[in-house]
Structures are given as structure tokens and as C-alpha cells.
Amino acid sequence: MQISLVADVASTYLTLQADQALLDMTADTLKTYEESYALTKRSNEVGVASSLELCPGPDSGRICPSESGALPSSGGSGSQCADGTGRAALVGNSRQPNVAG
């Protein structure tokens, strides 16, 4: 019984350590994203970057930060991007795929 308890405590401790490392890495990733966004936003303000660079495409899996620089809350609309919809407008080749069979 005591060996089982010690094994459970050790396992829980290792899980805690792994979760803490993952949390630290996620916090670092968020900080890097926010710094990158701030640089891109500043580049846009001085005319070096286009507004499309501030908002990712709809299929990127990323979200647009709000104008305040904070991420939108769940259920919120987020910021409006180049086409006013909260998504970046598609630019470039508008060729439609050939689906005729």
C-alpha cells in the first residue's frame, strides 16, 4: 500500500513538472507573438507593412488581436481586418479550381 502511494506521488510530481514546463513554453510563445504583433503594427503605422500583415487569413488557425493589443475574449468579435469582416481579404490569383469531372 505504501509503495503504491509513493509511486502515485512521484507520478503526480512528474506530471506537475511537465505541465509547468508546458505552461512556461506557452507563456514564452504568447510573449513572442505579442512582441511580433507590436513590431508589425508599428511597421504598419509608419507605412512599411500593409494592414493585411496585421491579420492572418481565415485558414491560418490564428486570431486577430484587438485594437488594444489584447486577444479578443471568447464570444467577442475581435478586430476588423482589411475587408471589415475580421478576416484578411484574399489577394492575388482568383482562379477557381477545376471541379468538372
Side-chain angles (χ1 to χ4, degrees):
M1 178 84 161
Q2 188 176 5
I3 293 174
S4 176
L5 178 60
V6 171
D8 285 344
V9 169
S11 176
T12 302
Y13 176 77
L14 292 175
T15 300
L16 174 65
Q17 293 300 310
D19 289 345
Q20 186 63 50
L22 182 60
L23 180 61
D24 292 344
M25 185 175 65
T26 302
D28 290 343
T29 301
L30 177 61
K31 181 181 175 189
T32 301
Y33 172 79
E34 290 172 340
E35 290 170 353
S36 176
Y37 177 78
L39 288 171
T40 303
K41 184 175 180 184
R42 180 66 181 135
S43 294
N44 175 262
E45 290 169 356
V46 297
V48 177
S50 76
S51 61
L52 290 176
E53 293 180 45
L54 292 175
C55 287
D59 296 326
S60 70
R62 296 182 294 157
I63 57 175
C64 291
S66 67
E67 291 301 317
S68 66
L71 298 177
S73 62
S74 59
S77 61
S79 66
Q80 297 298 305
C81 294
D83 63 354
T85 64
R87 296 174 293 169
L90 297 176
V91 179
N93 190 346
S94 62
R95 182 177 54 143
Q96 298 295 319
N98 183 2
V99 292

